[in-house]
Structure formats: C-alpha cells, structure tokens
Amino acid sequence: MRKRVTIVTTENQQQRIIAAVDAAFDEQLTFTADLVRIPSLRGDENAAQDVLEQAYREIGLTIDRWTLDAEELAEHPGAGAVSVSYENSDVVVGSFAPEVQTGKSLILNGHVDVVPIGSERLWSRSPWEPHVAEGWLYGRGTGDMKAGLVANLFALRALRAAGLTPASPVYLQSVPEEESTGNGTISALQHGYTADAVLISEPSQTEVVRAHVGVIWFSVTVTGQAAHAFEMSTGSNAIDGAYAVIEELRRMEEEWNERAATSEHFGSHDHPLNLNVGVITAGDWPSSVPDSCEVQFRVSITPEMDVDESWREITERVQVAVQSDTRLNRSSAVAKRLGFYSDGYVLEPGSEAEATLSAAHTRATGKPLGEVAMPGYIDSRCYGLFADVPALVYGPVGEKLHGADERVNIESIREVTRTLALFIAQWCGVTEA
Ligand SMILES: [Zn+2]
C-alpha cells in the first residue's frame, strides 16, 4: 500500500491539527502543572526527566537517555565549567523516524531545570504548587520553561491525534543545565543529535528570537589576612577587597555597554549588558577581619564580542583592582570560570525554517510574527554556532522569570502549541495515517 505524502499541508490538515491541539489542551495544562510540582533544580533533574521519558515513550518515540559526563563535556569548546555533581542530571531524547523520509528533520528542544526560588515568603503561594488565576499559570518554572517543554510534546502528539505522521525525523530533547552552563544541549550535540532545524520553546512572548547575548559565569576569590577587629589595620579585610573588585568590574560593565551601542541587535537597548553580583560568601565572626571572600558573577556580552577576549579582559580588570586599590594592598584576588562560557548568537534572517515558523504562527494566531533580541542566555547558540543549524527560539508569554510569582500566560501556550504543531507538519511534511 502506498502512503500519500504531503509536503505542503492542506487547509483541511491544518484545521485538524489545530482542533487536535485544542482538544488536548486541558490535559496539556494538567501535565504542565504536574511537571511544575517536581522541583527540578540544578543537579536534581531526573525525577522530572522520568516523567518526560514516560510521556515520550507513550507516543511511540525511541528513548535515548544518558547522564551528563563532565569529562566528555570538557572536550567541547562551548561547554561551561562544571562545579556540581551530574549523577542526577540526565538528558532525555525521544526520537521519531518515519519509514521513508521526504521532508526535513527537526529537533524540538527545551530545558527541564529551573532556578532556585529565592525567598519563599515573597511568593503569594508555594512556588511548587502551581495555580491558575486570571489566565495565568503560576509557579517556579512555569514560564522558564516547562510550558514550552510540554508544548513541544503536545504539538507532536496533536499531529498524531489528527491522523498525521511526520515524513521526516523528529527529536524531542529535554535537557538539564540550561540555566547554568548550557551543557545539556552541548551534550546532545556531542551524542550526535542534529537536524535541518532546531526550535527551542523558551518564553519569547510568541516572537522569534533574532539574537541573544553570550554569558560568562565566574567567581573572584579575595584572600586577605585575619585579625582581631580591635587591631583591624594589622589585617586585610577580604570583604572590603571584594568591594574594590566589584567596583572595577562595574567600570568594565559601563565600558562594555558603551561598546554595545554599535551592536547590530542590541545597540538600541538601554544597558543590554548586565554584570550581576549573584552570590557572596565571606566571613565567620563579627569581631574578626575576614580573610576570604568569594563573589560569584554573571556577565553578558553582545554577539559581536568574543568570549575568550572578554574573559581575558575580566581577569585583567581583577588584577587592575589588586594593583590600584588600597583595599587590596595586602590581599590577592583570583578569577575563575564557574559555569556559562558562551558567545552570543544571531539567527540570520531569511532562513527557510524561519519563514515556515512565521507562516505557522500567522495561521495559528492571525498575527504577523514579531522578533526580539534577548539580553539573556539561550541554548540556541549550541546548535547555531557549533552545528551550523538554524536555531529558532519561539515560545509563550512568561513574566517574572527567575523572580517570585513567576507565571506564564495560558492563552499564549495554546497559540504556541498550535504554531509548533503546524510548524512540524509543514517543515517535516506529513503522511496521512
Ligand atoms: Zn529558560
């Protein structure tokens, strides 16, 4: 029996796909909320990965699952420095392979890890007990990015419910470590997963991400000299020294933002490059001069900047502080890579993948596809820079990402899932079941 292969989906097929997304949408929201209940914090992603693996299995995908390997990752230039145990951080890939391939292959990627909750008392409700209010789903990881991760799954499911089978390979990737290194997606690359296009359903306000910044995580450890507080001047206060380092790096940050004014995609942004002082660890006694202070930073760079050159500049500026600031007269300061070590990425306009996404978005929502430059890290650079695959980022409307009362707009999840399902059909082609 010959199967009829359609590369360009018909109006009837598109209607069936949209109807299938809508029919399963309540189930999709329940699945998303259940996933939010699992606190898939860094280094502890596997309970959530179990749920994704099972769901991928249930729609007939072939499962590949492996544990991140720090040694293997260290061989890749795009990997971030590893500072945690990976024993509970697996990558899960569900693969669909048609009998005969006629369309183009596709990776749908999303990250399962979420960032810490901050102070729980600042949340209106528990961050791990998702709830719906006025069209929004609340909880840690709702927007960033469990809604998108689950939308990838339900988009593929909708095709099948509509009686259609993709005419080329589709890979669903659920990765850990996006919020700290990008090592989950780098590892998927190392394990040979590539395709004609990649789509990552990060919360992008239903626009396509034209560019994103690169990010470097690093620590600076200031080592001073302990002394009793009553003879403070005989010691060297590492916390005071850390202030000197922070101030020097703030000057570097301002210079970088002046340079960013000429950036093609970030030049119009107000202060696109942010140095964040994220963690400070120091001191053990109010009456002792602290002899050690570790500060952890995150800083971003434009796509025009080079990560190696930027890192060199950071380490030089730390030594400028040591040499020029009296607070560091009898102290040392050492900078060390901590996680992210990433260039920025630009999705070059004009790709067939983007045109296909744009058409799917317009069909699903009735609106033209906008674009946005993201001043944060996204895994799209992994495929875009190291595999030369057009890496689209397109996902729902999220707010207060990484903050208290994080939320995702429910209607935007529906729009995104419709768009993704139509995109898969059009990009991969479909076969009538
Ligand atoms: Zn994210």
Side-chain angles (χ1 to χ4, degrees):
M1 192 181 80
R2 285 186 60 203
K3 288 181 173 172
R4 189 166 58 86
V5 173
T6 320
I7 295 299
V8 178
T9 51
T10 64
E11 176 58 30
N12 170 271
Q13 286 169 334
Q14 291 174 8
Q15 285 172 8
R16 280 153 53 199
I17 290 167
I18 290 171
V21 168
D22 291 350
F25 192 63
D26 287 346
E27 188 190 346
Q28 180 179 343
L29 284 184
T30 302
F31 189 105
T32 307
D34 288 345
L35 197 59
V36 171
R37 278 188 195 93
I38 304 172
S40 47
L41 293 157
R42 187 183 193 196
D44 199 15
E45 295 97 341
N46 278 356
Q49 292 294 55
D50 291 345
V51 173
L52 271 310
E53 179 188 336
Q54 179 61 26
Y56 292 172
R57 236 179 244 295
E58 279 169 13
I59 59 168
L61 303 183
T62 304
I63 302 299
D64 186 9
R65 178 168 176 163
W66 68 91
T67 303
L68 288 183
D69 180 340
E71 277 180 34
E72 184 181 83
L73 282 157
E75 294 166 9
H76 198 285
V82 179
S83 57
V84 297
S85 165
Y86 275 163
E87 63 184 353
N88 206 19
S89 297
D90 292 357
V91 178
V92 175
V93 178
S95 301
F96 167 78
E99 287 165 34
V100 181
Q101 179 180 345
T102 53
K104 293 178 286 297
S105 59
L106 176 64
I107 290 169
L108 293 170
N109 170 293
H111 67 84
V112 72
D113 56 315
V114 299
V115 298
I117 58 171
S119 302
E120 186 159 359
R121 65 191 161 80
L122 300 180
W123 288 73
S124 307
R125 304 261 286 264
S126 164
W128 309 117
E129 190 42 60
H131 69 281
V132 173
E134 289 168 2
W136 296 81
L137 175 66
Y138 288 80
R140 171 58 84 230
T142 48
D144 192 10
M145 61 159 285
K146 285 174 172 172
L149 181 63
V150 173
N152 293 348
L153 166 69
F154 276 76
L156 185 58
R157 268 185 51 163
L159 256 66
R160 305 186 148 219
L164 300 166
T165 307
S168 54
V170 180
Y171 306 95
L172 296 186
Q173 294 181 343
S174 178
V175 300
E177 278 285 294
E178 191 275 345
E179 297 285 6
S180 47
T181 56
N183 284 352
T185 297
I186 291 287
S187 182
L189 255 177
Q190 285 183 310
H191 280 241
Y193 287 98
T194 187
D196 296 316
V198 174
L199 190 144
I200 304 177
S201 42
E202 287 273 15
S204 70
Q205 327 294 3
T206 71
E207 296 183 319
V208 69
V209 175
R210 176 63 60 214
H212 70 75
V213 295
V215 168
I216 302 173
W217 271 19
F218 63 100
S219 66
V220 176
T221 302
V222 175
T223 303
Q225 291 169 32
H228 193 295
F230 70 60
E231 48 184 5
M232 196 167 80
S233 60
T234 67
S236 183
N237 189 313
I239 294 177
D240 287 339
Y243 273 111
V245 171
I246 292 169
E247 286 164 20
E248 181 61 28
L249 292 174
R250 287 267 177 245
R251 286 189 280 276
M252 181 194 76
E253 178 190 20
E254 288 323 302
E255 290 168 25
W256 284 12
N257 277 285
E258 282 164 27
R259 276 184 235 165
T262 58
S263 168
E264 183 179 2
H265 297 289
F266 292 95
S268 60
H269 286 226
D270 180 31
H271 208 276
L273 302 181
N274 291 334
L275 173 81
N276 188 54
V277 181
V279 179
I280 296 183
T281 313
D284 56 8
W285 199 249
S287 291
S288 297
V289 174
D291 61 9
S292 179
C293 180
E294 190 208 62
V295 187
Q296 297 184 358
F297 298 91
R298 168 272 193 203
V299 72
S300 51
I301 57 177
T302 63
E304 288 88 353
M305 293 165 74
D306 175 78
V307 67
D308 292 326
E309 281 172 27
S310 303
W311 173 236
R312 207 173 308 127
E313 195 171 342
I314 289 166
T315 57
E316 284 167 10
R317 298 298 284 255
V318 170
Q319 294 318 310
V320 166
V322 171
Q323 273 141 34
S324 65
D325 197 296
T326 55
R327 286 169 289 183
L328 286 159
N329 263 355
R330 284 175 291 129
S331 296
S332 64
V334 177
K336 193 176 130 200
R337 281 168 56 178
L338 199 63
F340 287 119
Y341 192 79
S342 148
D343 281 305
Y345 172 64
V346 176
L347 173 73
E348 292 303 334
S351 69
E352 191 184 347
E354 185 181 330
T356 306
L357 177 68
S358 175
H361 171 84
T362 300
R363 176 67 182 84
T365 67
K367 291 172 279 193
L369 179 64
E371 67 174 63
V372 61
M374 281 281 214
Y377 172 85
I378 311 177
D379 266 353
S380 44
R381 60 99 196 185
C382 301
Y383 276 97
L385 299 180
F386 296 106
D388 202 23
V389 173
L392 307 166
V393 177
Y394 170 86
V397 176
E399 287 186 356
K400 299 183 183 173
L401 312 175
H402 295 213
D405 292 339
E406 175 182 351
R407 64 184 191 170
V408 63
N409 181 277
I410 290 171
E411 202 48 40
S412 78
I413 303 174
R414 186 199 303 271
E415 288 187 351
V416 163
T417 312
R418 285 176 169 183
T419 301
L420 293 183
L422 292 167
F423 175 73
I424 301 168
Q426 191 71 13
W427 182 256
C428 301
V430 286
T431 309
E432 289 285 350

